Amino acid sequence: MLTAALIDRAVAAALDEDAPWGDLTSEALVPATATARAQLVAREQGVLAGGAVFAAAFRLVDPAVRVQSRLADGDAFAAGDILATVQGPARAVLTAERVGLNFVQRMSGIATLTARYVAAVAHTRARIVDTRKTTPGLRAFEKHAVVCGGGHNHRFSLSDAVMAKDNHLGVLTAQGLSVTEALQRAKAALPHTTHIEVEVDRLDQIEPVLAAGIGTIMLDNFTLHDLRAGVAQVAGRATVEASGGVSLDTVAAIAGTGVDVISVGALTHSARALDLGLDLRISD
């Protein structure tokens, strides 16, 4: 999903936002002939994501800037580790610094948080997946970061798969059809390869959904007791996903109920930017 073209478009837009008419401070204070050497340094431990995005910020300001990565996306690091080095014209390095850091700090924060969730359920069969609760325009970046942290991507967009929620089912059943009939009609109208997932919020909704031959059933905001009961009721006839009320404090217990997938919106909508800094030296 995170292609070079997509990276360049997003980073170019961010640079245009940050310096629409140039970097007045650097142009006023830094000689045009000055060069800079810098290190991307971790102030805390974490998991790297966004190395190529960080490098793109400098390249797009001035191709003469060279960025050398020391770690790959998905690699863990400790506080004090040098993640990359930067060398080139000082004005360009200073102009690109904030945009490059914004991307790599945000993406590494998501990867680091995801890794914590993945570690919390490592003793179970549950997979940690993301949601569509992403920053508008940056979904590919944030979902890439989830994978770097050991998580998995849910559907990327509304075009990827069918996921019927309560409002969708309400529209269908308002036509006088049962849930099973409505879902069967929807399946018949779709390409055979389209995956269908249906959200339920009560145990008594499970059987009518399964009767339609649905591939994944989401148990939304279920208690731990009802999650166990739901997994037993499905009995392997569909993939079982748990959603709602998931945090680092609750995820292990949710995974222990036997669900196959746990979707966590917090991976992208609540991740804290990681503390990474650019230590820079300028010379004539």
Side-chain angles (χ1 to χ4, degrees), residues 39-161:
Q39 295 176 329
L40 177 63
V41 180
R43 312 293 192 211
E44 59 181 315
Q45 67 178 24
V47 177
L48 181 65
V53 189
F54 175 78
F58 298 91
R59 173 174 50 80
L60 291 176
V61 171
D62 189 337
V65 179
R66 296 289 180 260
V67 178
Q68 181 67 48
S69 297
R70 294 198 176 183
L71 295 179
D73 279 9
D75 286 348
F77 53 80
D81 284 354
I82 298 172
L83 311 182
T85 58
V86 181
Q87 184 173 359
R91 284 184 179 180
V93 172
L94 289 165
T95 299
E97 175 184 6
R98 176 42 52 197
V99 167
L101 283 174
N102 283 349
F103 275 105
V104 75
Q105 287 178 312
R106 169 71 176 157
M107 293 176 69
S108 295
I110 292 171
T112 301
L113 180 60
T114 301
R116 295 178 67 189
Y117 275 90
V118 170
V121 304
H123 61 291
T124 73
R125 70 182 186 186
R127 302 191 310 275
I128 298 296
V129 306
D130 53 26
T131 71
R132 287 170 41 245
K133 296 176 182 178
T134 55
T135 306
L138 296 179
R139 180 169 294 171
F141 295 79
E142 295 179 351
K143 283 183 170 283
H144 171 82
V146 167
V147 174
C148 292
H152 299 264
N153 293 150
H154 209 288
R155 61 176 178 166
F156 183 78
S157 70
L158 294 174
S159 301
D160 296 347

